[in-house]
């Protein structure tokens, strides 16, 4: 009995001693895919990688790096005033390397993954390294600027689309005489005259704003003002480029037969116009590159347009006489296999081709039925990133819809990646995608990254405005709900590798959704029911400035939709495609964007540093961006009241007692760059913010 009693006592004493260890500092636990915690960040197969993990100083007993099969004990390699750093070296194989961390402190075991600290292992949030995968260095944290060319600036009136030049979707083309007039509710045929010469003339403006990448909505020949219905993938639309031969007649009033639209036929099928437009575009790209900026084109490869020369439903190319018959006209067309026809006996003028979402103006391309089409589009992908154009990347429209099966879709994008990266290894492949992009990202063999709806635009819009991104719905309960914001961000960001996240397109607005400034007025609806004036009524510039602060300090490539920086409003498409208000822009808002872009570009931690959420609460968002040499705290007060906000900030690597300097503060009335010091005491900082305000603070060494 005495022996058993002594063993019992020994166990009890041992448990007591272990339970007396310091409380585990969960906020100190950290790792991610940035260079401070993974070296190199984008290794090749066979290369050794040092993976690091941070804990509180003398706060844990052991740290393991865990895979599906093994636990690797990590070695403490470094300590500073608050933290210990553990490391282990791993050799990469050919396949993606998945891992997570397990930490033991006394009797307490916890796991750490992409989502954060957990009591249980969560495979969905494991870290991952894809050997051989990388994204272009220039794209990481790059400031992008999206331009819908027709609405940006008219630099060459000679190439303007003319009234009655042709007929499309139940309306003749219309040249808009008033640049400042809002688009009508049905405006596919309204043209304001913006062109690439206009972009060239405004390059000083873009460069001074701080833009590093210009993303163009489609530039190829097309009958619409948005150009997502391409009729010729090989040529820039002369209405955006150069019209050197301008012959033919406009349509007579009431005529809908485009074979008689000889002015249009000449403008868009005459090789002299097409070649001059391509040459002008190549020259423009050279000038943009000379200014240190990049260019991304919009690739619409799931479908084309009914005007497309391969289909030629409008008989435009047939009217020219120098082109092969389109598949609409003849079963013997060399392009017959490019489209899927339901009725094999309906020629000539076979209307039974498959349309994307059944739109007959958007014929779906039939890649499975045509190796020639497949190879041709891969050639287009390589052509524009090669000489003489040297474009720096593709944005891929409705990329998940291409093909007729998931298996085929993934095969195409793997081949697309090979074609693009072989032609230009530094080109970026960025896809439009709604929902989880993991299937296209997790192996590193398809897209580089995506337009970041799920892990940026949507959560931020709900948190700041309570609005759905089209302005179709207002849900007051969602506004200011920080747990939803943080949960969505943690969850959806885990679908990206760090390098994919760093170049994800973080937009507040674009051509498919309402302008963010309009969302701040919490008016649910569209221009057809409310009118354009309602998009401008009651907007809150304080909320908009909060959003821009987050955009410029959150991981990713902050992307400004043309005119957002000037105060342009608008409900969803087509109202979101108003013209840039040259001479009427909100100059204070432009200056604010310029200053936020400068802050973003000057600080590497804001481009490629780590992110840590810092104890948000209702209407209050606080987070840190940091690396080993720079630390920032971003605080938002999205409430209707003045708030004194106190937050623990030591976990981003600043001393527990130090000073932080304010770089910028925003309010509903404006913003200020006047510096102000704040004391950090015992790891906590207190900041007072007015309603709908934001501040960016930097640790002052």
């Amino acid at each position: 009995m005495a022996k058993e009693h002594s063993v019992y006592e020994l166990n009890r004493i041992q448990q007591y001693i272990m339970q007396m260890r310091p409380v585990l500092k969960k906020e100190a636990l950290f790792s991610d895919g940035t260079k401070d915690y993974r070296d190199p960040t984008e290794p090749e197969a066979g290369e050794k990688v040092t993976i690091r993990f941070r804990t509180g100083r003398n706060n844990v007993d052991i740290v393991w790096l865990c895979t599906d099969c093994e636990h690797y004990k990590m070695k403490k390699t470094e300590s500073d005033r608050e933290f210990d750093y553990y490391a282990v070296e791993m050799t990469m194989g050919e396949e993606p390397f998945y891992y997570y961390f397990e930490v033991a402190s006394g009797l307490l075991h916890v796991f750490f993954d992409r989502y954060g600290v957990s009591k249980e292992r969560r495979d969905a949030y494991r870290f991952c390294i894809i050997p051989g995968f990388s994204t272009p260095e220039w794209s990481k944290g790059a400031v992008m600027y999206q331009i819908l060319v027709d609405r940006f600036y008219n630099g060459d009136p000679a190439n303007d689309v003319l009234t009655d030049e042709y007929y499309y979707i139940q309306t003749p083309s219309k040249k808009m005489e008033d640049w400042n007039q809002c688009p009508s509710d049905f405006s596919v045929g309204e043209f304001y005259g913006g062109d690439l010469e206009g972009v060239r003339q405004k390059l000083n403006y873009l460069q001074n704003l701080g833009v590093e990448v210009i993303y163009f909505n489609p530039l190829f020949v097309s009958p619409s003002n948005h150009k997502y219905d391409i009729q010729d993938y090989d040529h820039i639309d002369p209405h955006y480029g150069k019209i050197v031969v301008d012959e033919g007649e406009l349509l007579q009033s009431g005529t809908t037969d485009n074979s008689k639209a000889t002015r249009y036929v000449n403008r868009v099928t005459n090789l002299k116009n097409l070649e001059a437009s391509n040459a002008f575009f190549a020259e423009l790209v050279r000038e943009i590159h000379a200014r240190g900026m990049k260019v991304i084109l919009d690739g619409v490869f799931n479908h084309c347009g009914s005007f497309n020369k391969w289909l030629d439903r409008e008989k435009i190319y047939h009217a020219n006489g120098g082109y092969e018959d389109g598949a609409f006209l003849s079963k013997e067309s060399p392009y017959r296999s490019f489209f899927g026809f339901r009725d094999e006996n309906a020629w000539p003028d076979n209307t039974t081709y498959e349309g994307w979402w059944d739109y007959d103006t958007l014929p779906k391309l039939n890649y499975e039925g045509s190796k020639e089409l497949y190879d041709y589009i891969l050639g287009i992908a390589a052509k524009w990133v090669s000489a003489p154009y040297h474009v720096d990347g593709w944005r891929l429209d409705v990329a998940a819809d291409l093909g007729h099966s998931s298996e085929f879709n993934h095969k195409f994008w793997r081949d697309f990646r090979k074609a693009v990266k072989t032609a230009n290894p530094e080109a970026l492949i960025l896809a439009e995608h709604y929902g989880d992009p993991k299937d296209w990202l997790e192996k590193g063999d398809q897209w580089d990254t995506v337009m970041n709806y799920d892990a940026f635009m949507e959560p931020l819009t709900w948190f700041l405005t309570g609005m759905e991104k089209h302005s179709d719905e207002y849900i007051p309960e969602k506004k200011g709900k920080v747990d939803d914001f943080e949960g969505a961000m943690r969850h959806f960001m885990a679908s990206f590798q760090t390098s994919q996240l760093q170049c994800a397109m973080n937009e507040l607005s674009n051509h498919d959704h309402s302008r963010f400034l309009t969302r701040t007025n919490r008016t649910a609806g569209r221009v057809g029911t409310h009118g354009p004036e309602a998009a401008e009524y009651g907007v809150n510039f304080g909320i908009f400035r909060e959003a821009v602060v987050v955009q410029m300090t959150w991981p990713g490539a902050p992307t400004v939709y043309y005119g957002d920086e000037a105060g342009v409003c608008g409900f969803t498409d087509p109202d979101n495609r108003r013209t840039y208000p040259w001479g009427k822009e909100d100059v204070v808002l432009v200056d604010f964007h310029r200053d936020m872009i400068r802050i973003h570009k000057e600080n590497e931690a804001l481009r490629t540093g780590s992110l840590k959420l810092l104890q948000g609460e209702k209407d209050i968002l606080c987070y840190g961006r940091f690396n080993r040499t720079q630390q920032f705290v971003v605080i938002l007060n999205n409430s209707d009241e003045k708030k004194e906000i106190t937050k623990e900030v030591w976990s981003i690597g600043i001393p527990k007692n130090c000073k932080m300097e304010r770089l910028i503060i925003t309010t509903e009335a404006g913003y200020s760059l006047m510096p102000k010091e704040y004391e950090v005491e015992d790891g906590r900082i207190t900041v007072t913010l007015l309603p709908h305000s934001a501040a960016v603070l930097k640790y002052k060494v």
Side-chain angles (χ1 to χ4, degrees), residues 25 118 206 215 219 363 378 380 406 429 510 574:
K25 296 180 179 178
S118 172
L206 296 175
Y215 153 47
L219 301 179
L378 294 186
I380 291 294
S406 174
I429 301 173
N510 61 27

Side-chain angles (χ1 to χ4, degrees), residues 230-241:
I230 291 169
Q231 68 184 69
D232 182 350
Y233 288 93
D234 277 296
H235 298 103
I236 301 297
D237 195 318
H239 296 98
Y240 281 177

Side-chain angles (χ1 to χ4, degrees), residues 300-315:
V300 189
F301 301 127
N302 165 70
H303 57 273
C304 62
S306 56
F307 278 48
N308 190 281
K309 63 184 177 183
W310 300 328
L311 187 71
D312 200 17
R313 178 167 178 153
E314 301 299 314
K315 304 179 182 178

Side-chain angles (χ1 to χ4, degrees), residues 145-147 213-217 228 296 298 395 505 511:
Y145 191 89
Q146 178 183 349
I147 298 179
V213 183
I214 298 174
Y215 153 47
F216 288 110
N217 287 109
Y228 283 96
I296 292 176
D298 210 322
R395 177 267 188 188
M505 187 180 279
H511 61 288

Side-chain angles (χ1 to χ4, degrees), residues 620-651:
I620 305 298
L621 176 63
C622 184
Y623 57 92
R625 293 297 307 281
F626 60 101
N627 56 31
R628 294 295 294 275
T629 58
Q630 290 184 324
Q631 296 83 34
F632 295 85
V633 173
V634 181
I635 307 178
L636 277 67
N637 172 21
N638 195 48
S639 75
D640 298 329
E641 300 174 355
K642 182 178 179 180
K643 295 273 189 179
E644 183 179 86
I645 303 164
T646 299
K647 295 294 176 186
E648 288 190 350
V649 296
W650 61 269
S651 61

Side-chain angles (χ1 to χ4, degrees), residues 517-523 533-541:
L517 186 54
T518 289
R519 283 175 232 156
T520 68
N521 69 9
R522 304 170 200 167
T523 299
E533 297 81 9
E536 304 171 13
Y537 180 76
V539 297
N540 188 312
F541 286 91

